[in-house]
Amino acid sequence: MPKLDLSQLPWRTGSDYPGKLAEACKGRSVQPLGDPGGLSQFGVNIVRLEPGAASSLRHYHMEQDEFVIVTEGSCTLIDDQGAHEMQPGDCAAFPAGEANGHHLVNRSDKPAAFLVVGTRTETETGYYSDLDMMVKLAEGQFTFTRKDGSPLTADQTGENS
């Protein structure tokens, strides 16, 4: 496979979270590398966080492994064990099925970036540690519900505010 020209690959901003839950990821941009490289067994993305931005809401995966390495700036990994400062070259691994809610936050005043590599599965279930929310992936679609499978309420998504 030829070298990827990062300057030619588009960035996606924001998140797919419902309602005001997406605000935590304002300032997050993702540059997919796996798809343009023709990869099908695992995903690879560069994630860029502006100051104050989060990579996601704190979550964990049931079917997919996830690995991150900081490539630029400073990020704070927040997981069930607390906050861990991460600098370029620092790595973290999140095995599938391990209930350790995690995300990275840029608490600095400069942009930060990390590379994330994760398993691709046809289905997936993820849980959010700080919310009564889960996500299911099936047939290429993400569905957000409460952890018991019932619909999210407007109060939970902030759409009543």
Side-chain angles (χ1 to χ4, degrees):
M1 175 50 82
K3 176 182 172 186
L4 297 175
D5 183 351
L6 298 184
S7 71
Q8 298 302 307
L9 299 180
W11 289 84
R12 293 187 324 251
T13 58
S15 79
D16 293 328
Y17 293 131
K20 292 187 178 180
L21 295 175
E23 289 178 6
C25 297
K26 187 175 181 181
R28 176 190 80 170
S29 300
V30 178
Q31 187 179 39
L33 306 179
D35 288 340
L39 301 179
S40 62
Q41 297 181 15
F42 57 92
V44 182
N45 297 289
I46 295 174
V47 178
R48 187 166 180 81
L49 300 176
E50 295 300 322
S55 61
S56 64
L57 299 172
R58 260 185 5 107
H59 68 284
Y60 57 93
H61 302 272
M62 298 308 295
E63 298 178 39
Q64 298 177 350
D65 290 337
E66 186 176 14
F67 174 87
V68 299
I69 182 169
V70 175
T71 59
E72 175 188 344
S74 173
C75 293
T76 304
L77 165 64
I78 301 171
D79 68 5
D80 289 351
Q81 285 71 48
H84 316 275
E85 294 305 312
M86 296 183 69
Q87 303 299 321
D90 289 340
C91 306
F94 307 99
E98 186 175 291
N100 180 12
H102 59 275
H103 69 171
L104 287 118
V105 178
N106 182 352
R107 293 180 171 171
S108 78
D109 60 357
K110 296 181 177 141
F114 61 92
L115 182 76
V116 58
V117 179
T119 313
R120 288 190 189 199
T121 54
E122 288 188 23
T123 62
E124 168 64 309
T125 302
Y127 293 97
Y128 294 85
S129 301
D130 302 320
L131 303 166
D132 180 13
M133 188 168 79
M134 79 172 167
V135 62
K136 287 200 174 271
L137 168 65
E139 299 179 12
Q141 298 293 318
F142 290 101
T143 304
F144 294 93
T145 64
R146 297 174 82 171
K147 290 178 181 174
D148 66 6
S150 63
L152 292 172
T153 66
D155 287 340
Q156 289 173 296
T157 62
E159 295 170 321
N160 275 351
S161 301

